[in-house]
Structures are given as C-alpha cells and as structure tokens.
Amino acid sequence: MLCCAGHMASLLLVALLSASSYLLVAGSHQDQEFHGAAGSRIRLQNPHKHEVHCSRERSRAAWEAIDEYLMPFVEKEKYELPSKCRLRPDNDMFREQEQHKIHFDINEWRCGFCKKAFRAEKFLDQHFENRHKNLLDNSEGRCLADLCGPLHCDLMMEFKKPKSKCNAAAAVRNRHLCESLADSCFPINQGLAASRLHEFFLRQFCDAHTCDRGTKPFPKGGRKQTNRFYLALCVLTLILLPLFYLIVFLHQREMRKGVHDLKRFSKIGQKKKPS
C-alpha cells in the first residue's frame, strides 16, 4: 500500500510539474503574442518612413537658381533634360508641394491640396510637413539642397551675406560637382544644342567656383534680369508720360495766354488812336 501510495504521489507530482510548465509556456507565448501585437499596432500607428533630411529652404533656393539662370536658355534651345539629370523639375522632392502653393497677397498663402489659408509661407511649409508629408518622394538623388554648392544657393538667399574668406577645397569640390552636372545633363555627344548648353553651363555656373574674386556667377544673366529691365522701362514710361503731357499743357496754356495778351494790347492801342 505504501508503495502504491508513493507511486501515486510521484505521478501526481509529475502531473503538477507538467501542468505548471504548460501554463508557463502558454503564458509566455501569450505574452509574446501580446507584445508582438502591440508592437505591430505601434508600427501601424507610427509607420517609420525614411526621415526627410533635406532642407526645403535650400532646395527652394537651388530651384530658383535653375529656373532663373538655366531654364530660359534650355527652353530657348528647345532641349529636353535627360531623365538622369538631377536638375530636372521632377527630381526635386518638394516640387509638387511648391507647385501647390497659392499666393494671394503678401500675408495670404493657401494650400492647393486642402485650401487652408496661412499668413506666411513658413507656416504653409510647416503645414506641408505635418499634413502632406506623404506626398514627398524621398528617394535618392531628389534633394536639390545637395546641389546648393555648385548652384550658388547662398547668392539666391538674399538675407545671407557671402563668406569673406574663400575655401579653396570647397571651391574645387563644388567645381567638380558642377562639371559632373554639365556632363550628365548636357552630354556633348547628344547634338549641337546639348553641346552649346554644356559650354553655357560651365560658364554660367562652374567658372565662378574659384578663389579669384574677379569671376562672378551667372555672367550670362537670366530670366529675372529681363523682367526687371521691362519693369524699369514701364515704370519710367509711367513717370515720364504724365510729365510730358504736363509740359505740353503748360506750353499750350502759355501760348494761349500770350495770344490773349497780344489781342488785349492791340485793342488798347486801337482805342488810343485819335479820331
């Protein structure tokens, strides 16, 4: 009896240990499932897209340099930039958002996606960052700010003073990148237009990457210079035209006054003649 009782006790102990192990394993598995599910929910709620490490402000300055000092000449040549060219508008990750900015007045900007209004452009930029970030294509080679060196962004950002000291190493690096842009965007073996634009790009952008103070960027001018010339001409015309009419009016009035005085003096002279 004692032997049977001891055997039953052993079996009961083994069963209890097995049940405890099962419960521990099941609990651990459920805990893992819970944490896995929680982790999955966290990933769904906060999808880890690639963070955007690209300056919108400097990208905007780079595009302004391209649009003002390059594109008028590209359009004149009726040349299409190749797909591998980083200067193409569709290679700017912010281009779609920038094109959906509506500027009504100095203190009124509007989002072209959701029509929300803002007092300043910087607030609209923050809105794009918070509400329409999903529209950014943050793939490699689409950050125009990376090209700010060769494109002279600092000159486009008017509030920033140019550096007083020239960094020779930076100038060499920017010139090399500038020349590689010329080679990829305007291959000289792609015809006369590409060859002419290749030479133009070197003169317009690349030659200024030197510590020689006598060489300035954009020597060929650009879109804004032309617009400013016509604007100045229109303003000058608007100022001079009324002045011209005023001079003509005063001259005619003096002429009429002179004729009237002459007639009056003539009548006085006739009255004084003896009968």
Side-chain angles (χ1 to χ4, degrees):
M1 286 292 289
L2 290 172
C3 182
C4 289
H7 185 64
M8 290 292 293
S10 298
L11 289 175
L12 183 59
L13 181 61
V14 169
L16 287 172
L17 289 173
S18 298
S20 300
S21 300
Y22 174 79
L23 289 173
L24 285 172
V25 170
S28 175
H29 182 67
Q30 288 176 355
D31 188 58
Q32 287 176 1
E33 286 183 346
F34 171 80
H35 286 295
S40 176
R41 284 196 296 273
I42 291 170
R43 283 194 294 273
L44 289 171
Q45 292 170 1
N46 301 290
H48 292 291
K49 298 177 77 173
H50 292 295
E51 292 295 328
V52 177
H53 299 292
C54 182
S55 168
R56 181 187 294 271
E57 185 181 21
R58 292 183 69 79
S59 292
R60 185 184 300 132
W63 174 250
E64 287 174 359
I66 295 168
D67 188 50
E68 291 174 23
Y69 298 108
L70 175 63
M71 294 311 294
F73 302 92
V74 172
E75 292 163 4
K76 184 179 178 181
E77 291 283 355
K78 297 180 181 178
Y79 178 80
E80 184 177 354
L81 295 169
S83 57
K84 64 180 180 179
C85 175
R86 294 183 66 183
L87 304 177
R88 283 173 61 98
D90 52 4
N91 282 334
D92 174 16
M93 71 167 66
F94 299 111
R95 184 76 351 235
E96 184 178 7
Q97 290 186 350
E98 291 293 316
Q99 289 173 339
H100 280 79
K101 286 181 176 179
I102 305 172
H103 191 191
F104 285 108
D105 201 351
I106 297 175
N107 296 320
E108 186 176 0
W109 293 77
R110 194 176 295 275
C111 172
F113 297 113
C114 62
K115 310 305 179 186
K116 190 173 181 180
F118 301 88
R119 288 180 299 157
E121 187 178 17
K122 64 179 180 179
F123 299 127
L124 179 54
D125 288 340
Q126 291 172 3
H127 170 75
F128 282 148
E129 179 69 19
N130 295 330
R131 298 295 182 185
H132 303 297
K133 193 174 182 179
N134 59 311
L135 298 173
L136 293 180
D137 183 1
N138 188 21
S139 54
E140 188 178 358
R142 289 175 56 85
C143 179
L144 280 186
D146 293 342
L147 306 179
C148 262
L151 295 177
H152 307 281
C153 287
D154 289 345
L155 290 180
M156 303 303 299
M157 301 165 74
E158 297 176 349
F159 63 88
K160 185 169 182 178
K161 295 180 180 179
K163 295 178 181 178
S164 56
K165 286 187 69 176
C166 176
N167 186 329
V172 170
R173 183 170 61 252
N174 286 332
R175 185 180 181 91
H176 177 72
L177 181 54
C178 187
E179 290 172 349
S180 69
L181 285 173
D183 293 339
S184 61
C185 295
F186 312 105
I188 56 176
N189 60 351
Q190 295 298 313
L192 290 175
S195 183
R196 284 193 294 267
L197 287 169
H198 185 278
E199 183 67 18
F200 164 81
F201 191 84
L202 293 177
R203 304 289 82 80
Q204 183 83 324
F205 291 91
C206 304
D207 283 355
H209 291 297
T210 174
C211 289
D212 179 9
R213 295 294 181 184
T215 309
K216 303 294 181 184
F218 319 131
K220 305 292 186 182
R223 197 191 306 274
K224 269 195 172 178
Q225 276 73 8
T226 305
N227 292 343
R228 284 173 182 170
F229 172 76
Y230 285 117
L231 180 61
L233 187 61
C234 290
V235 170
L236 190 62
T237 303
L238 289 173
I239 293 172
L240 292 179
L241 196 59
L243 188 60
F244 170 75
Y245 282 117
L246 179 61
I247 292 171
V248 171
F249 170 75
L250 292 174
H251 176 71
Q252 289 179 346
R253 190 177 71 171
E254 289 297 321
M255 289 291 292
R256 285 196 298 268
K257 185 179 178 183
V259 171
H260 178 72
D261 290 343
L262 184 62
K263 288 181 178 179
R264 186 163 58 88
F265 290 144
S266 177
K267 287 180 181 179
I268 292 172
Q270 288 176 0
K271 286 180 181 180
K272 286 182 178 181
K273 284 183 180 181
S275 57

